[in-house]
Amino acid sequence: MLDPPVQPPPRSTPSYASDTLYASGTVAEDFTFNDQVAEVFDDMLDRSIPYYQTVIEGVAQLLAARLSDGAMICDLGCSTGTTVLELARLTAPRDFHFIGLDNAPAMLDKARRKVATLGKTNQVSFREGDIITGPLPPASVFLCNYTLQFLRPMARPAFVERLYAALPPDGLLILSEKTISHSGRLNRNFIDVYHAFKRCKGYSELEISAKREALENVLV
């Protein structure tokens, strides 16, 4: 059993814009990480991924139990930096360093603004690059939180092997991901439960349907 983590600093009150991108129910283009998405992405995460904060808290406890001070944690597909900033808060006062890697300039711009506002520039940094082909930092841990789904299925095995080769012998790959069942009925059950979750978070049926359409050719 893991020891209780050191009490972290208080969590900052969220100050992100509300996600109304699909409120009209229309879809002009496939989902992409542009400026409009970047501005509302934190609200989108909070209202679209069940137990997202619980996942981050569990990862923080694992990092605290397994890593020595000075360790580098790399978040692959870091988006607006929410995960690494929350991990930095939860693992304080341990001397961990975090780097976020993403290929979307709009998301990284938002992440860097958040880091500067919170005064975490000495502990958290971000880099633009392709997580499949670009250089990887010398990290003890790679995080892939809901990132693998954006890679084409054929590219995923080689990508995971690449991460394995880049990690030290005692390194960690922490993966959180959506799954699909061979049972069509079970998949339908999960989709119904998920849509009920989004309705409880304030999304309308039009928004749920439009978002799913926008992601249809993006998530496989």
mmCIF file of all heavy atoms in Angstrom, residues 33-51:
data_model
loop_
_atom_site.group_PDB
_atom_site.id
_atom_site.type_symbol
_atom_site.label_atom_id
_atom_site.label_comp_id
_atom_site.label_asym_id
_atom_site.label_seq_id
_atom_site.Cartn_x
_atom_site.Cartn_y
_atom_site.Cartn_z
ATOM 1 N N PHE A 33 -6.963 20.620 -32.807
ATOM 2 C CA PHE A 33 -6.509 21.383 -31.643
ATOM 3 C C PHE A 33 -6.112 22.801 -32.060
ATOM 4 O O PHE A 33 -4.939 23.176 -32.031
ATOM 5 C CB PHE A 33 -5.346 20.661 -30.964
ATOM 6 C CG PHE A 33 -5.750 19.352 -30.357
ATOM 7 C CD1 PHE A 33 -5.397 18.155 -30.957
ATOM 8 C CD2 PHE A 33 -6.502 19.315 -29.192
ATOM 9 C CE1 PHE A 33 -5.779 16.938 -30.396
ATOM 10 C CE2 PHE A 33 -6.891 18.104 -28.626
ATOM 11 C CZ PHE A 33 -6.526 16.920 -29.229
ATOM 12 N N ASN A 34 -7.095 23.611 -32.410
ATOM 13 C CA ASN A 34 -6.845 24.978 -32.859
ATOM 14 C C ASN A 34 -7.036 25.964 -31.702
ATOM 15 O O ASN A 34 -7.223 25.571 -30.542
ATOM 16 C CB ASN A 34 -7.771 25.321 -34.032
ATOM 17 C CG ASN A 34 -9.242 25.074 -33.690
ATOM 18 O OD1 ASN A 34 -9.653 25.136 -32.529
ATOM 19 N ND2 ASN A 34 -10.045 24.798 -34.718
ATOM 20 N N ASP A 35 -6.999 27.264 -32.010
ATOM 21 C CA ASP A 35 -7.116 28.299 -30.978
ATOM 22 C C ASP A 35 -8.441 28.211 -30.231
ATOM 23 O O ASP A 35 -8.488 28.400 -29.007
ATOM 24 C CB ASP A 35 -6.971 29.694 -31.610
ATOM 25 C CG ASP A 35 -5.563 29.978 -32.090
ATOM 26 O OD1 ASP A 35 -4.618 29.443 -31.487
ATOM 27 O OD2 ASP A 35 -5.404 30.731 -33.068
ATOM 28 N N GLN A 36 -9.528 27.948 -30.950
ATOM 29 C CA GLN A 36 -10.841 27.891 -30.315
ATOM 30 C C GLN A 36 -10.922 26.734 -29.315
ATOM 31 O O GLN A 36 -11.445 26.886 -28.205
ATOM 32 C CB GLN A 36 -11.937 27.738 -31.382
ATOM 33 C CG GLN A 36 -12.169 28.975 -32.245
ATOM 34 C CD GLN A 36 -11.085 29.158 -33.311
ATOM 35 O OE1 GLN A 36 -10.416 28.185 -33.692
ATOM 36 N NE2 GLN A 36 -10.916 30.387 -33.776
ATOM 37 N N VAL A 37 -10.390 25.584 -29.710
ATOM 38 C CA VAL A 37 -10.383 24.430 -28.809
ATOM 39 C C VAL A 37 -9.470 24.679 -27.617
ATOM 40 O O VAL A 37 -9.806 24.347 -26.477
ATOM 41 C CB VAL A 37 -9.963 23.157 -29.572
ATOM 42 C CG1 VAL A 37 -9.696 22.007 -28.603
ATOM 43 C CG2 VAL A 37 -11.032 22.759 -30.576
ATOM 44 N N ALA A 38 -8.315 25.286 -27.849
ATOM 45 C CA ALA A 38 -7.357 25.536 -26.762
ATOM 46 C C ALA A 38 -7.970 26.383 -25.651
ATOM 47 O O ALA A 38 -7.727 26.144 -24.463
ATOM 48 C CB ALA A 38 -6.105 26.217 -27.313
ATOM 49 N N GLU A 39 -8.781 27.371 -26.020
ATOM 50 C CA GLU A 39 -9.350 28.276 -25.021
ATOM 51 C C GLU A 39 -10.363 27.591 -24.112
ATOM 52 O O GLU A 39 -10.563 28.004 -22.973
ATOM 53 C CB GLU A 39 -9.990 29.491 -25.715
ATOM 54 C CG GLU A 39 -8.979 30.485 -26.242
ATOM 55 C CD GLU A 39 -8.011 30.963 -25.175
ATOM 56 O OE1 GLU A 39 -8.470 31.378 -24.092
ATOM 57 O OE2 GLU A 39 -6.787 30.900 -25.406
ATOM 58 N N VAL A 40 -11.016 26.542 -24.596
ATOM 59 C CA VAL A 40 -12.051 25.877 -23.787
ATOM 60 C C VAL A 40 -11.657 24.449 -23.410
ATOM 61 O O VAL A 40 -12.459 23.713 -22.828
ATOM 62 C CB VAL A 40 -13.398 25.846 -24.540
ATOM 63 C CG1 VAL A 40 -13.853 27.259 -24.885
ATOM 64 C CG2 VAL A 40 -13.330 24.986 -25.807
ATOM 65 N N PHE A 41 -10.421 24.057 -23.703
ATOM 66 C CA PHE A 41 -10.043 22.654 -23.568
ATOM 67 C C PHE A 41 -10.106 22.158 -22.124
ATOM 68 O O PHE A 41 -10.503 21.020 -21.869
ATOM 69 C CB PHE A 41 -8.635 22.432 -24.129
ATOM 70 C CG PHE A 41 -8.302 20.977 -24.329
ATOM 71 C CD1 PHE A 41 -8.910 20.239 -25.324
ATOM 72 C CD2 PHE A 41 -7.370 20.336 -23.515
ATOM 73 C CE1 PHE A 41 -8.612 18.892 -25.508
ATOM 74 C CE2 PHE A 41 -7.065 19.002 -23.696
ATOM 75 C CZ PHE A 41 -7.684 18.276 -24.695
ATOM 76 N N ASP A 42 -9.748 22.987 -21.169
ATOM 77 C CA ASP A 42 -9.789 22.545 -19.771
ATOM 78 C C ASP A 42 -11.215 22.243 -19.331
ATOM 79 O O ASP A 42 -11.469 21.265 -18.617
ATOM 80 C CB ASP A 42 -9.159 23.604 -18.862
ATOM 81 C CG ASP A 42 -7.653 23.692 -19.038
ATOM 82 O OD1 ASP A 42 -7.047 22.664 -19.360
ATOM 83 O OD2 ASP A 42 -7.101 24.786 -18.865
ATOM 84 N N ASP A 43 -12.158 23.074 -19.756
ATOM 85 C CA ASP A 43 -13.566 22.808 -19.448
ATOM 86 C C ASP A 43 -14.026 21.550 -20.170
ATOM 87 O O ASP A 43 -14.778 20.738 -19.616
ATOM 88 C CB ASP A 43 -14.421 24.010 -19.864
ATOM 89 C CG ASP A 43 -15.888 23.842 -19.493
ATOM 90 O OD1 ASP A 43 -16.174 23.611 -18.301
ATOM 91 O OD2 ASP A 43 -16.744 23.929 -20.386
ATOM 92 N N MET A 44 -13.557 21.365 -21.396
ATOM 93 C CA MET A 44 -13.903 20.180 -22.175
ATOM 94 C C MET A 44 -13.423 18.907 -21.478
ATOM 95 O O MET A 44 -14.147 17.903 -21.402
ATOM 96 C CB MET A 44 -13.283 20.297 -23.582
ATOM 97 C CG MET A 44 -13.744 19.255 -24.575
ATOM 98 S SD MET A 44 -12.925 19.462 -26.185
ATOM 99 C CE MET A 44 -13.693 20.972 -26.764
ATOM 100 N N LEU A 45 -12.197 18.932 -20.955
ATOM 101 C CA LEU A 45 -11.671 17.777 -20.226
ATOM 102 C C LEU A 45 -12.511 17.471 -19.001
ATOM 103 O O LEU A 45 -12.887 16.323 -18.746
ATOM 104 C CB LEU A 45 -10.225 18.044 -19.781
ATOM 105 C CG LEU A 45 -9.117 17.977 -20.819
ATOM 106 C CD1 LEU A 45 -7.772 18.228 -20.140
ATOM 107 C CD2 LEU A 45 -9.093 16.633 -21.517
ATOM 108 N N ASP A 46 -12.794 18.504 -18.230
ATOM 109 C CA ASP A 46 -13.521 18.331 -16.980
ATOM 110 C C ASP A 46 -14.910 17.748 -17.212
ATOM 111 O O ASP A 46 -15.414 16.961 -16.403
ATOM 112 C CB ASP A 46 -13.631 19.681 -16.260
ATOM 113 C CG ASP A 46 -14.322 19.557 -14.918
ATOM 114 O OD1 ASP A 46 -13.815 18.818 -14.058
ATOM 115 O OD2 ASP A 46 -15.373 20.205 -14.727
ATOM 116 N N ARG A 47 -15.523 18.103 -18.332
ATOM 117 C CA ARG A 47 -16.898 17.681 -18.600
ATOM 118 C C ARG A 47 -16.997 16.480 -19.531
ATOM 119 O O ARG A 47 -18.090 15.993 -19.790
ATOM 120 C CB ARG A 47 -17.683 18.853 -19.196
ATOM 121 C CG ARG A 47 -17.796 20.045 -18.251
ATOM 122 C CD ARG A 47 -18.261 21.298 -18.985
ATOM 123 N NE ARG A 47 -19.608 21.138 -19.520
ATOM 124 C CZ ARG A 47 -20.120 21.945 -20.458
ATOM 125 N NH1 ARG A 47 -19.394 22.931 -20.959
ATOM 126 N NH2 ARG A 47 -21.356 21.758 -20.881
ATOM 127 N N SER A 48 -15.856 15.987 -20.020
ATOM 128 C CA SER A 48 -15.897 14.908 -21.013
ATOM 129 C C SER A 48 -15.173 13.634 -20.584
ATOM 130 O O SER A 48 -15.381 12.587 -21.209
ATOM 131 C CB SER A 48 -15.286 15.382 -22.342
ATOM 132 O OG SER A 48 -16.017 16.463 -22.883
ATOM 133 N N ILE A 49 -14.328 13.683 -19.567
ATOM 134 C CA ILE A 49 -13.565 12.500 -19.165
ATOM 135 C C ILE A 49 -13.912 12.147 -17.726
ATOM 136 O O ILE A 49 -13.510 12.842 -16.796
ATOM 137 C CB ILE A 49 -12.045 12.730 -19.298
ATOM 138 C CG1 ILE A 49 -11.695 13.123 -20.738
ATOM 139 C CG2 ILE A 49 -11.284 11.471 -18.877
ATOM 140 C CD1 ILE A 49 -10.225 13.351 -20.969
ATOM 141 N N PRO A 50 -14.655 11.065 -17.530
ATOM 142 C CA PRO A 50 -15.007 10.671 -16.169
ATOM 143 C C PRO A 50 -13.762 10.377 -15.316
ATOM 144 O O PRO A 50 -12.813 9.762 -15.791
ATOM 145 C CB PRO A 50 -15.830 9.392 -16.378
ATOM 146 C CG PRO A 50 -16.336 9.478 -17.777
ATOM 147 C CD PRO A 50 -15.265 10.192 -18.541
ATOM 148 N N TYR A 51 -13.780 10.861 -14.076
ATOM 149 C CA TYR A 51 -12.720 10.584 -13.097
ATOM 150 C C TYR A 51 -11.344 11.087 -13.533
ATOM 151 O O TYR A 51 -10.316 10.537 -13.123
ATOM 152 C CB TYR A 51 -12.661 9.073 -12.796
ATOM 153 C CG TYR A 51 -13.965 8.509 -12.335
ATOM 154 C CD1 TYR A 51 -14.695 7.657 -13.170
ATOM 155 C CD2 TYR A 51 -14.505 8.838 -11.101
ATOM 156 C CE1 TYR A 51 -15.920 7.141 -12.776
ATOM 157 C CE2 TYR A 51 -15.734 8.324 -10.693
ATOM 158 C CZ TYR A 51 -16.435 7.479 -11.526
ATOM 159 O OH TYR A 51 -17.629 6.977 -11.124
#
